[in-house]
Amino acid sequence: MTQASIIDGKAFAEGLRGKVAELAAKFEPAAGRKAGLAVVLVGEDPASQVYVRSKGKQTVACGMASFEHKLPEDTTQDVLLALVDQLNADPLVDGILVQLPLPKHLDEQAVVDRISPSKDVDGLTPISTGRLALGLPGLVPCTPLGSLMLLKDRLGNLSGLNAVVIGRSILVGKPMAQLLLGENCTVTIAHSRTQDLPEVVRRADIVVAAVGRPEMVKADWIKPGATVIDVGINRLPPAEGSEKGRLVGDVDFADASTVAGAITPVPGGVGPMTIAVLLRNTIVAAHRNADLALAEDAI
C-alpha cells in the first residue's frame, strides 16, 4: 500500500516569512518607515485573542510594525467604523485586518466594506473580490492563496488539471475556485446540495476541502494519486481522561493518505500558511502604497 507524501505547510510558511523579512528590511530605508499591519479585535473570544497575539508577534519578527486595537464586546458599529476610517487615513498603516467573527450586534459586511481596498490584506472587500474574479491584480484572501502556493510548490504547472473545491464560503471556497481558474484548472465547486458528492470528488486531480465537517472526506472519495488540501480545522470532543480533544481536518487523514499522492496534515498544513500569507499581503500592500516596485510573483 502506498502512502501519500506529506505537504509541510509549516516549513513552507517559515520560508515565506523569511522572504517577507528580507523585503521588509529593504522597504524600511526605501520608504523611510516600516511596513505596518493593524489588527482590530472586538470582544473576548479566546481563539481570536490567541490568533491576534500570534499575528502581532510574527509581524514584529518579520521587521514590520504591528498596531493592535482591542475593543470591548459592547463596542458600537459607529465606534468600530470610526476606527477603520482612522486606520484608512493613517500613512503608517499598510494593512488592516478586522478579526472575524465580530460580536453578533455588529454588521460584519459593513465593517469589511469600509476598509480601503489598498489596505485590505484579508482580500474580503467587494473591490478585492471583484478584482480576483476579473483576473486583475489585487489582495487575495490568505488561506486560499496559501493553499494555492502549496499546490504549485508540489505540482508545478496546474494547467488542465481537474480540481474540486468542497465548500462555497466567501472566505475560502469561492476565492479558491477563482485562483484555480486563474491557473487554468477545470474547477467544480461542491457543497451540501451537490448530488453524489463522493463521485464528484473522485474525478479530481486536486481536492480542496473546506466545509468544517470533521473527517468527512474518506479514502474511497479520492482518485489515486490526487493532491489533497485540507483547509478544515475541527476539534473533536476530548477522550476519557483527556482535557483537550484532538484537532482534525475535513479529510480523514489516515484513511485518505493510503490513496492520495500528496496531502496536507492538520495541524501543520494549511494553518501555518494563513498568517504567513497575511504578512506577505502586508508587504505587498506596503510597496504599492509607497509606490515602490516589487516582483509580487516572487513571493
Side-chain angles (χ1 to χ4, degrees):
M1 185 181 292
T2 59
Q3 194 72 14
S5 300
I6 305 302
I7 300 174
D8 190 344
K10 192 173 178 183
F12 192 101
E14 184 178 349
L16 181 56
R17 288 195 303 271
K19 291 178 183 178
V20 171
E22 288 177 13
L23 290 168
K26 294 175 183 175
F27 176 85
E28 187 172 354
R33 63 175 180 84
K34 290 186 175 185
L37 172 63
V39 179
V40 178
L41 174 63
V42 184
E44 305 294 328
D45 180 74
S48 291
Q49 287 182 328
V50 170
Y51 200 39
V52 166
R53 193 156 51 243
S54 179
K55 288 172 181 174
K57 285 181 181 177
Q58 292 192 39
T59 301
V60 171
C62 282
M64 298 189 290
S66 174
F67 307 101
E68 291 184 21
H69 296 266
K70 296 180 180 178
L71 304 178
E73 182 87 17
D74 61 358
T75 296
T76 66
Q77 186 85 3
D78 286 345
V79 167
L80 182 53
L81 291 175
L83 174 58
V84 173
D85 289 342
Q86 175 190 322
L87 297 174
N88 282 336
D90 189 341
L92 299 181
V93 173
D94 295 293
I96 301 169
L97 186 144
V98 177
Q99 184 67 37
L100 303 178
L102 292 171
K104 288 191 166 103
H105 69 280
L106 296 172
D107 183 341
E108 284 188 357
Q109 192 59 54
V111 173
V112 170
D113 289 355
R114 197 70 160 247
I115 297 170
S116 169
S118 66
K119 300 187 178 188
D120 176 27
V121 286
D122 233 2
L124 296 179
T125 63
I127 288 179
S128 297
T129 303
R131 293 187 71 85
L132 176 59
L134 291 168
L136 298 174
L139 294 167
V140 177
C142 303
T143 300
L145 183 54
S147 299
L148 182 68
M149 289 178 175
L150 294 178
L151 281 169
K152 292 176 75 171
D153 182 64
R154 173 64 51 168
L155 299 174
N157 184 7
L158 307 183
S159 182
L161 296 179
N162 284 317
V164 170
V165 180
I166 312 173
R168 51 180 168 178
S169 73
I170 60 168
L171 293 175
V172 180
K174 289 178 180 177
M176 188 76 240
Q178 294 287 356
L179 288 170
L180 290 166
L181 283 171
E183 297 297 324
N184 298 312
C185 292
T186 300
V187 182
T188 301
I189 301 180
H191 46 78
S192 59
R193 303 292 178 88
T194 299
Q195 294 184 13
D196 199 354
L197 179 57
E199 183 56 35
V200 171
V201 176
R202 279 185 206 110
R203 298 196 292 266
D205 304 301
I206 295 168
V207 178
V208 180
V211 286
R213 292 184 58 186
E215 300 183 325
M216 181 182 80
V217 179
K218 304 296 183 182
D220 63 358
W221 294 31
I222 305 296
K223 177 181 177 180
T227 301
V228 179
I229 303 293
D230 190 352
V231 180
I233 300 179
N234 312 281
R235 189 174 291 280
L236 296 179
E240 191 173 342
S242 173
E243 290 186 6
K244 282 187 177 180
R246 64 188 180 95
L247 284 177
V248 299
D250 292 346
V251 178
D252 186 332
F253 180 81
D255 195 31
S257 295
T258 63
V259 180
I263 189 170
T264 57
V266 177
V270 174
M273 293 296 295
T274 299
I275 295 181
V277 175
L278 173 67
L279 302 174
R280 179 258 180 208
N281 282 356
T282 301
I283 199 65
V284 167
H287 279 78
R288 292 178 183 172
N289 294 337
D291 203 21
L292 292 172
L294 176 66
E296 295 177 15
D297 289 346
I299 58 168

